[in-house]
Amino acid sequence: MAARILVIGSGGREHTLAWKLGQSHHVQQVLVAPGNAGTACSGKISNTAISISDHTALAQFCKDEKIEFVVVGPEAPLAAGIVGDLTSAGVRCFGPNAEAAQLESSKRFAKEFMDRHGIPTAQWRAFTKAEEACGFIMRADFPALVVKASGLAAGKGVIVAKSKEEACKAVQEIMQEKAFGAAGETIVVEELLEGEEVSCMCFTDGRTVVPMPPAQDHKRLLEGDLGPNTGGMGAYCPAPQVSKDLLLKIKNTVLQRTVDGMQQEGTPYTGVLYAGIMLTKDGPKVLEFNCRFGDPECQVILPLLKSDLYEMIQSTLDGSLGASPPIWLDDHTAVTVVMASKGYPGAYTKGMEITGFPEAQALGLEVFHAGTALKDGKVVTSGGRVLTVTAVRENLKLALEEAQKGLAVIKFEGAVYRKDIGFRAIAFLQQPRGLTYKGSGVDIEAGNMLVKKIQPLAKATSRPGCDVDLGGFAGLFDLKAAGFKDPLLASGTDGVGTKLKIAQLCNKHSTIGQDLVAMCVNDILAQGAEPLFFLDYFSCGKLDLSTTEAVIAGVSEACKEAGCALLGGETAEMPDMYPPGEYDLAGFAVGAMERDEKLPHLEQIVEEDTIVGIASSGLHSNGFSLVRKIVAQSSLEYSSPAPAGCGDQTLGDLLLTPTRIYSRSLLPVIRSGHVKAFAHITGGGLLENIPRVLPKKFGVDLDARTWRIPRVFSWLQQEGQLSEEEMARTFNCGVGAALVVSKSQTEQILREIQQRQEEAWVIGSVVACPKGSPRVKVKNLIEAMQMNGSVLVNGSLKTHFPAQPTKARVAVLISGTGSNLQALIDSTQDPNSSADIVVVISNKAAVAGLNKAERAGIPTRVINHKLYKNREEFDNAIDQVLEEFSTDIVCLAGFMRILSGPFVRKWDGKMLNIHPSLLPSFKGSNAHEQVLEAGVTITGCTVHFVAEDVDAGQIILQEAVPVKRGDTVATLSEKVKVAEHKIFPKALELVASGTVSLGKNGKICWAKEE
């Protein structure tokens, strides 16, 4: 392969990028625009004069020169939309688009984003008027001493003041004296955080986050971190202040949360994400985001990258980063020192000749050029930061010593540099540290905090016989109170196996708890037992509260579904036992049945008894070591779309479909007395589980054409070239459980199962089994996997997929971002949704909500209300579009126009709105202000049918939100918005499915429940 790459930029960062790309065997040439003296002609690397501001010409250049992809170094082109423009022209480009790059280009956007997504950061306020900013600084109840230009200021737009007066002076300099030009039209005033500042960067493909080793930059010009702020005078990597556990915490609470938040807001972020972090006593907090490699951090991070940077960028662009994480040079430290021109960061001289490059190279050092140029065959200075000298050695001290040797041989007049780069790390490493349990890796406080968080989750699983109250040494269960007279106890224990690895790779922990509960309670159901209580065991190397809480929340929800109490559990934090981010699970279930209800009834099973198969939800929790091997050898990643026929989801989500819990639905059937045996199809598949409930003289004959086999099994079989026996011995193949019933009772049992919303079929019969013969024979398994849902009924093939109900056609009306639009889109894309969004209508053009719809493939229409004489004409225009798309339901999602009476009456009972309060309280447009003025402690949101009177329609759903002391309109709005995203899709599903409707009497009417 002979790839040609274009790097945009002219600094030390871009020289480093070109240098690292040039090391790839895939790369023939690296062009740099505009570049510097270091990239002018160096092996595979050369400069090009193409303009980087004319994106149309640049795109044509890339096509003419057969550029495989473009790497954007600095922030300004990213903010100017270079990625979007090149991508639209068919040129692959590494970096975020302009909308995503607002994380760097607008400090205000970044701070609002962090508040929305719970990313830890300093307290702040934004201002467009200097006097208001100064007033805030003087009266703030925290040290408001950090003043930032909201826009891009080449890394220099931050002033850290020592007093309130100095902070006000900084406001004047930025806003009135225009120290940073237009970047300072809006400023952000922040709390001064105390601690160690570090740079944490990652590669991300929009879903997966792969952290780089943490680095520390030195911003001040002079040694001892004194003097004016600069773009950076040196850096080192890795920073010892950030342990592996702390880096994992930063990944989960900052980097991953940021990438997930951008995805949720419809602006996927790809490329390099840089978080400037302050390590405070309260934990890591974000100082700022950058949307590219830091400079000079790039000059110490990439020299430690053992992997091929070309391949890393390709994986990022392809969305397959999770399958090829980078490999870093262990047990080495990189140090880079910046040599700057005299006068920097103010006015400086140019044109000074630079010498000593061969001598530095002879010392084994890398010199990355920044502000350099070629003049008359000589390298001369042309910028403030001229170059960086980088050394990679076994430790920080050696690396710094080697870099200083380079500083001694490279010479130009007036050179300025620091000799103490890394001094904070050296001081950190020399600190005496007494041993503590927390320092050894076990955080008791975190464990206590977890218990507090999960106590209400466990409490919610209380049932007759058990009132859950975590915190004791043991839990109690009262069998008499549960209604048992002469009970037997049944117990089972299990885990989830390597399905956990996929959950951890996909960073999706909410469903794995159901797998754990299901595996245990389904096992004891085979004894005829009702699940009574459940205990969980969670073990990890380092406790991550958000991950553990998500897992236990899943366990709690599954216990409620199974009807058992989450009586207790154990959380074990065991340093060095598990790699960062990994954990293991085990569960223990206890159930009971009356003595005469115990299964199996071996003495009743006879030849020709029927085998009834109960549908699985998919793979359940077995065979995942083989599944992971198949995926690794396939062309798909866990983030790839699922194989055809497997629904609109990723492969990871498909494989993580939770195990079905059968106790609620099948226990009444089992207690009818007509079921002779129940087999849970778990590890060992069809071949090994059914014989466990049969007398030894019997086996079963099964015909795979008689049940529906989910498409995922066909994909696994074809991709892995698995034999029929391997499939039947490893997987459930679509049958999650099997019942043995007498032939005469079969139809009645099938009816009872189907009434309880389980899919079931007659899949075979009991047969005599001579000694030494296979106990289970499965015919036509491979053939059936190719039949696309057809099953054999009375000798003929029939499609057995349930008839797909017609989905309600939904139109969404917006005026801007469509505050709840993304939540509605996400919910209706679920294959099980009863609704389908067919059009999004806005009364304003070029708003973010239209972009969200277009990205989801939903048609859009713009109907500008200003073009119509009155409301009725405007509403008629909307109505015509609704009729064009055969709309059934209308959702108002941030639609800021009052609809006319005739329009509302036409769509009576078919139009939904959400209001940010618990109606009938606080109607109107300023609900949050009313709530705060009234001093209530509870507010929330309401989904209601639209009536002619404002906010007066019948209520469908409500969600409460607590009002806390200190809440503002902004904080309250964000909390309520989260609740809105939760209940609006639920309410739409209720109406679309026919569960809720507006009766003829004008009141809410609920469909009759089972």
Side-chain angles (χ1 to χ4, degrees):
M1 188 174 183
R4 305 183 78 215
I5 313 299
L6 175 64
V7 174
I8 302 293
S10 61
R13 167 183 48 221
E14 289 73 40
H15 187 184
T16 311
L17 285 164
W19 167 80
K20 193 65 182 177
L21 285 164
Q23 293 176 359
S24 172
H25 67 276
H26 300 290
V27 174
Q28 177 190 31
Q29 185 180 21
V30 183
L31 296 176
V32 187
N36 54 43
T39 57
C41 187
S42 176
K44 297 180 181 180
I45 306 169
S46 58
N47 292 339
T48 177
I50 183 68
S51 168
I52 61 172
S53 58
D54 186 340
H55 297 171
T56 302
L58 184 61
Q60 190 58 51
F61 170 84
C62 291
K63 293 176 182 178
D64 293 343
E65 295 294 325
K66 296 182 171 52
I67 299 297
E68 186 156 335
F69 57 74
V70 176
V71 180
V72 184
E75 61 274 20
L78 293 171
I82 191 171
V83 172
D85 290 344
L86 292 184
T87 302
S88 297
V91 178
R92 281 160 69 89
C93 198
F94 179 71
N97 62 26
E99 197 171 0
Q102 289 180 94
L103 284 173
E104 178 171 9
S105 63
S106 171
K107 299 291 188 295
R108 181 172 190 161
F109 173 88
K111 298 294 282 191
E112 289 172 346
F113 175 87
M114 286 187 270
D115 286 351
R116 285 198 299 276
H117 294 280
I119 296 166
T121 189
Q123 300 178 74
W124 69 284
R125 282 280 299 275
F127 299 94
T128 54
K129 294 181 179 179
E131 59 273 17
E132 292 180 4
C134 289
F136 174 76
I137 289 168
M138 299 307 291
R139 67 174 182 271
D141 58 1
F142 57 85
L145 301 177
V146 181
V147 184
K148 296 181 177 180
S150 181
L152 295 177
K156 305 186 192 76
V158 180
I159 298 175
V160 181
K162 294 177 181 176
S163 65
K164 293 183 177 183
E165 292 73 21
E166 192 176 315
C168 288
K169 182 181 177 185
V171 170
Q172 305 297 329
E173 289 175 3
I174 295 174
M175 302 195 79
Q176 295 179 341
E177 298 171 22
K178 305 293 183 186
F180 304 115
E185 290 177 359
T186 297
I187 64 166
V188 169
V189 176
E190 275 188 14
E191 169 191 13
L192 176 65
L193 297 177
E194 294 183 355
E196 195 86 39
E197 186 176 345
V198 292
S199 305
C200 294
M201 283 168 257
C202 68
F203 293 102
T204 178
D205 58 11
R207 292 182 182 274
T208 301
V209 164
V210 179
M212 303 177 198
Q216 188 173 64
D217 180 17
H218 294 62
K219 288 289 186 188
R220 298 286 185 169
L221 179 70
L222 305 177
E223 291 173 13
D225 281 346
L226 301 173
N229 223 20
T230 72
M233 292 302 293
Y236 63 92
C237 178
Q241 301 92 323
V242 183
S243 66
K244 288 183 179 179
D245 290 334
L246 182 55
L247 183 59
L248 177 64
K249 182 175 184 178
I250 292 168
K251 175 196 172 186
N252 291 337
T253 62
V254 175
L255 301 174
Q256 188 70 58
R257 203 172 285 179
T258 301
V259 170
D260 290 346
M262 295 299 282
Q263 183 82 24
Q264 291 162 16
E265 296 193 3
T267 311
Y269 187 106
T270 59
V272 169
L273 176 64
Y274 171 135
I277 300 287
M278 183 68 83
L279 304 178
T280 76
K281 61 181 177 57
D282 299 318
K285 294 187 178 184
V286 178
L287 295 170
E288 64 175 356
F289 284 120
N290 292 329
C291 295
R292 33 71 192 182
F293 276 106
D295 186 343
E297 292 95 336
C298 185
Q299 290 91 302
V300 289
I301 290 175
L302 289 187
L304 296 178
L305 178 64
K306 291 175 68 175
S307 301
D308 187 319
L309 180 60
Y310 168 90
E311 294 177 358
M312 289 298 305
I313 291 174
Q314 288 285 29
S315 297
T316 303
L317 295 173
D318 293 340
S320 58
L321 197 52
S324 52
I327 300 171
W328 301 93
L329 187 63
D330 291 330
D331 301 322
H332 281 73
T333 297
V335 170
T336 196
V337 182
V338 172
M339 298 185 75
S341 296
K342 183 179 180 180
Y344 176 79
Y348 50 82
T349 55
K350 297 182 182 180
M352 301 295 107
E353 182 182 355
I354 311 169
T355 61
F357 295 113
E359 291 83 351
Q361 189 174 14
L363 291 170
L365 303 172
E366 295 295 340
V367 179
F368 297 114
H369 291 236
T372 65
L374 289 174
K375 183 178 180 182
D376 301 327
K378 297 177 181 179
V379 179
V380 299
T381 63
S382 66
R385 291 192 295 172
V386 176
L387 53 84
T388 64
V389 179
T390 300
V392 178
R393 294 296 184 268
E394 290 76 13
N395 59 55
L396 178 61
K397 189 176 179 184
L398 284 176
L400 182 56
E401 288 174 357
E402 292 300 311
Q404 287 175 344
K405 292 178 184 177
L407 299 172
V409 298
I410 295 180
K411 300 181 185 297
F412 60 89
E413 187 179 332
V416 177
Y417 54 85
R418 287 177 58 167
K419 296 179 181 179
D420 67 342
I421 301 301
F423 78 97
R424 291 183 180 278
I426 293 170
F428 175 83
L429 293 170
Q430 291 174 345
Q431 287 176 3
R433 291 178 177 82
L435 295 179
T436 64
Y437 201 20
K438 185 173 182 179
S440 300
V442 180
D443 190 340
I444 294 175
E445 291 180 8
N448 292 338
M449 179 64 71
L450 176 66
V451 172
K452 286 183 180 179
K453 286 177 174 287
I454 65 177
Q455 273 178 330
L457 302 176
K459 185 74 174 177
T461 67
S462 296
R463 51 152 293 160
C466 183
D467 185 14
V468 177
D469 187 14
L470 298 184
F473 287 101
L476 299 175
F477 193 95
D478 187 340
L479 285 166
K480 275 190 179 179
F484 288 94
K485 296 181 177 63
D486 183 24
L488 290 173
L489 293 180
S491 66
T493 185
D494 212 334
V496 183
T498 58
K499 188 172 187 177
L500 283 172
K501 295 285 285 185
I502 298 176
Q504 289 157 9
L505 285 169
C506 296
N507 196 31
K508 182 178 181 182
H509 312 284
S510 57
T511 59
I512 210 78
Q514 177 168 330
D515 290 300
L516 184 66
V517 175
M519 295 299 285
C520 297
V521 300
N522 289 346
D523 276 355
I524 64 174
L525 191 59
Q527 302 294 153
E530 171 190 348
L532 301 179
F533 63 84
F534 187 83
L535 302 168
D536 70 87
Y537 174 81
F538 181 100
S539 57
C540 59
K542 180 67 177 178
L543 190 62
D544 180 87
L545 286 178
S546 60
T547 297
T548 312
E549 186 182 2
V551 173
I552 304 304
V555 171
S556 169
E557 285 300 313
C559 284
K560 286 194 282 187
E561 184 179 338
C564 62
L566 178 54
L567 192 55
E570 166 71 1
T571 302
E573 189 173 26
M574 298 186 287
D576 306 324
M577 287 288 289
Y578 299 92
E582 292 193 7
Y583 57 85
D584 199 5
L585 285 176
F588 184 88
V590 172
M593 82 296 294
E594 296 296 349
R595 194 174 298 273
D596 59 355
E597 293 178 339
K598 177 175 71 74
L599 289 182
H601 299 301
L602 295 176
E603 73 286 353
Q604 297 179 16
I605 296 175
V606 298
E607 203 170 340
E608 296 190 359
D609 275 347
T610 300
I611 305 299
V612 173
I614 314 296
S616 69
S617 57
L619 290 169
H620 285 188
S621 300
N622 299 107
F624 274 86
S625 293
L626 177 57
V627 170
R628 288 167 48 240
K629 190 75 171 177
I630 292 170
V631 173
Q633 293 180 354
S634 76
S635 61
L636 298 184
E637 310 294 338
Y638 292 115
S639 58
S640 303
C646 293
D648 185 17
Q649 58 187 323
T650 66
L651 176 60
D653 288 341
L654 171 68
L655 298 177
L656 289 173
T657 302
T659 307
R660 194 153 181 79
I661 295 173
Y662 295 113
S663 50
R664 285 257 195 213
S665 55
L666 294 186
L667 193 60
V669 178
I670 289 170
R671 286 181 170 173
S672 71
H674 301 311
V675 174
K676 300 181 180 183
F678 171 99
H680 178 206
I681 310 304
T682 178
L686 295 167
L687 299 189
E688 295 188 7
N689 286 290
I690 298 176
R692 296 165 71 178
V693 299
L694 297 176
K696 291 185 178 180
K697 62 182 179 181
F698 291 130
V700 296
D701 284 351
L702 308 178
D703 188 340
R705 295 177 299 171
T706 58
W707 74 82
R708 178 178 63 83
I709 300 178
R711 176 76 180 87
V712 64
F713 293 104
S714 306
W715 181 78
L716 288 168
Q717 188 276 322
Q718 292 166 5
E719 198 69 36
Q721 292 296 295
L722 304 183
S723 67
E724 197 164 57
E725 181 179 5
E726 191 68 30
M727 288 296 300
R729 190 176 299 282
T730 307
F731 301 116
N732 65 58
C733 298
V735 178
L739 307 183
V740 181
V741 301
S742 64
K743 211 170 184 179
S744 62
Q745 295 290 337
T746 301
E747 289 303 318
Q748 180 184 339
I749 293 292
L750 281 173
R751 281 196 300 273
E752 288 181 18
I753 293 170
Q754 288 162 358
Q755 284 171 2
R756 296 180 184 282
Q757 307 304 309
E758 297 285 1
E759 194 176 359
W761 321 269
V762 173
I763 64 171
S765 61
V766 176
V767 296
C769 183
K771 192 172 183 180
S773 298
R775 303 281 302 281
V776 177
K777 295 178 182 176
V778 186
K779 298 185 295 184
N780 307 309
L781 183 56
I782 301 299
E783 175 190 339
M785 288 183 182
Q786 317 305 324
M787 286 164 46
N788 296 319
S790 297
V791 298
L792 197 64
V793 180
N794 297 328
S796 60
L797 284 174
K798 294 186 179 179
T799 298
H800 205 81
F801 287 131
Q804 294 296 316
T806 303
K807 293 193 174 190
R809 297 173 64 81
V810 178
V812 182
L813 274 55
I814 66 171
S815 291
T817 59
S819 53
N820 288 286
L821 176 59
Q822 193 63 50
L824 294 172
I825 291 173
D826 292 343
S827 69
T828 55
Q829 287 180 339
D830 186 325
N832 297 318
S833 172
S834 302
D836 182 29
I837 299 178
V838 295
V839 66
V840 171
I841 303 172
S842 173
N843 65 309
K844 295 181 181 178
V847 294
L850 295 174
N851 295 334
K852 293 176 185 176
E854 288 163 3
R855 280 193 293 270
I858 299 170
T860 60
R861 295 286 189 276
V862 176
I863 303 175
N864 188 341
H865 60 279
K866 295 180 180 178
L867 302 179
Y868 297 86
K869 295 178 182 177
N870 51 48
R871 274 196 291 160
E872 285 74 17
E873 285 188 14
F874 172 66
D875 291 354
N876 285 338
I878 292 178
D879 197 50
Q880 289 176 16
V881 176
L882 298 179
E883 294 293 344
E884 175 191 347
F885 283 89
S886 304
T887 304
D888 300 311
I889 300 170
V890 178
C891 289
L892 307 182
F895 185 65
M896 305 305 290
R897 305 299 300 169
I898 297 175
L899 296 164
S900 64
F903 184 93
V904 172
R905 288 193 292 274
K906 176 176 179 178
W907 291 95
D908 188 35
K910 300 174 184 176
M911 185 157 51
L912 282 61
N913 184 42
I914 190 161
H915 182 74
S917 77
L918 295 176
L919 294 174
S921 299
F922 310 119
K923 297 180 180 180
S925 60
N926 60 341
H928 298 314
E929 287 90 337
Q930 295 179 58
V931 166
L932 294 173
E933 188 174 335
V936 297
T937 58
I938 295 290
T939 184
C941 52
T942 303
V943 183
H944 61 94
F945 286 112
V946 176
E948 287 191 64
D949 291 337
V950 174
D951 300 328
Q954 288 288 298
I955 294 171
I956 303 168
L957 273 183
Q958 292 185 312
E959 179 86 2
V961 173
V963 182
K964 296 185 178 179
R965 191 183 301 114
D967 265 336
T968 63
V969 171
T971 60
L972 193 58
S973 173
E974 290 305 321
K975 290 196 290 186
V976 172
K977 200 173 291 181
V978 171
E980 290 179 1
H981 295 343
K982 178 180 175 183
I983 69 163
F984 207 168
K986 287 184 179 178
L988 174 58
E989 178 63 22
L990 288 173
V991 175
S993 65
T995 305
V996 167
S997 59
L998 193 63
K1000 293 180 180 178
N1001 61 355
K1003 301 294 183 183
I1004 287 287
C1005 179
W1006 287 79
K1008 187 176 179 181
E1009 297 180 355
E1010 289 280 336

